[in-house]
Amino acid sequence: MLSADYIDLYCERTAPGFWNEPLNALTNLSFIAAALFALYLVQQRGRHPDFAELILIVLAASIGVGSFLFHTLANAWSEVADVIPIWTFVAFYIVTLIYRATGENLYRTLRDSFVALGLTAIIFWFTSNAVLTETDAGPDPFNGSLQYLPAVVALLVTTMLMYIRKHPARHYFALATMTFFISLTFRTIDLIICSYFPFGTHFMWHLLNGLMIGLLLAALILKMPPIRLKTRRDQ
């Protein structure tokens, strides 16, 4: 049984209790599935994952674990456990993407990463009150979804650049971006639709984000492998 000061942010939760959000909790398996799918793709590629890929796969699974904890325990520390893996994955993925897109050029990676960090900081400045919800999310018309605006911008910019350069991974990023927009919509309307659908729609946020992360990992593994693998293929 949870304490009386449990965090209640989503339609599905109606009372304290470990299994009071069964759909929101169990749909976090989608992130575990994305991590296993990425491991499968690496095996099909014929090589073990490099360090960056391995870290991203572990982080993808950690998102599922952290979110599961939050949707079952619903307390302050589990909320942090939910948020940290998400943004660690986003940050590490962006750096890895830049590193491979620049031909593994360390200087350009650092330069572009600092630019991305600066833009993210500016966006967070305007949406900082949505990163961790300290009060009931009901009055917020976006239901806390503004915290993901940096991820939206990053996906849009990356997809645009991929199409401009006709990169082989461009379709993966386009699908990932569309998937994220749909999932963010489901997250935003969760409390709005509550009176019509008691389970809410937050569980769709989990399912679709698992798909999105699977697409992002697939783009990196299949279309942007490490240079040493490209070299071996060409030999």
Side-chain angles (χ1 to χ4, degrees):
M1 197 71 166
L2 300 183
S3 63
D5 60 346
Y6 67 95
I7 298 174
D8 181 7
L9 300 179
Y10 306 107
C11 177
E12 191 178 17
R13 181 165 292 281
T14 57
F18 190 87
W19 286 116
N20 195 254
E21 296 182 60
L23 285 179
N24 287 348
L26 293 176
T27 48
N28 286 296
L29 287 171
S30 64
F31 300 105
I32 308 297
L36 292 175
F37 175 65
L39 280 175
Y40 169 77
L41 292 180
V42 170
Q43 291 178 343
Q44 292 297 108
R45 194 179 63 185
R47 295 286 176 181
H48 294 296
D50 70 356
F51 178 74
E53 290 169 349
L54 184 60
I55 292 297
L56 286 169
I57 289 170
V58 171
L59 286 172
S62 298
I63 292 173
V65 173
S67 184
F68 175 83
L69 290 173
F70 181 48
H71 289 288
T72 51
L73 300 176
N75 55 27
W77 75 261
S78 62
E79 185 181 17
V80 174
D82 177 31
V83 171
I84 289 178
I86 294 172
W87 287 110
T88 304
F89 178 90
V90 171
F92 198 81
Y93 187 91
I94 290 174
V95 172
T96 303
L97 180 68
I98 293 172
Y99 183 62
R100 293 190 178 177
T102 58
E104 300 184 5
N105 184 296
L106 185 58
Y107 168 75
R108 292 175 63 191
T109 299
L110 290 173
R111 181 197 64 190
D112 294 350
S113 295
F114 276 118
V115 172
L117 178 63
L119 292 174
T120 301
I122 292 172
I123 296 172
F124 263 124
W125 177 264
F126 292 102
T127 60
S128 58
N129 63 329
V131 175
L132 282 177
T133 307
E134 298 178 355
T135 59
D136 189 349
D140 178 7
F142 297 101
N143 196 21
S145 295
L146 280 180
Q147 65 174 299
Y148 295 101
L149 186 58
V152 171
V153 173
L155 281 170
L156 285 173
V157 171
T158 301
T159 302
M160 179 183 68
L161 292 175
M162 289 285 179
Y163 272 90
I164 289 174
R165 299 176 182 178
K166 296 183 179 180
H167 195 282
R170 62 190 183 276
H171 300 313
Y172 286 85
F173 282 96
L175 286 173
T177 301
M178 288 187 288
T179 301
F180 189 64
F181 268 103
I182 297 171
S183 70
L184 197 60
T185 300
F186 278 118
R187 187 191 190 284
T188 303
I189 67 173
D190 176 63
L191 292 177
I192 299 173
I193 206 171
C194 197
S195 58
Y196 306 100
F197 186 63
F199 292 106
T201 55
H202 190 78
F203 72 95
M204 290 298 300
W205 161 258
H206 294 159
L207 292 175
L208 290 171
N209 278 355
L211 174 60
M212 177 197 67
I213 286 178
L215 289 167
L216 292 177
L217 291 173
L220 201 67
I221 293 167
L222 299 178
K223 302 300 181 180
M224 303 181 72
I227 285 179
R228 66 179 184 277
L229 293 186
K230 292 180 181 180
T231 303
R232 288 173 183 172
R233 284 179 183 175
D234 296 337
Q235 289 177 347

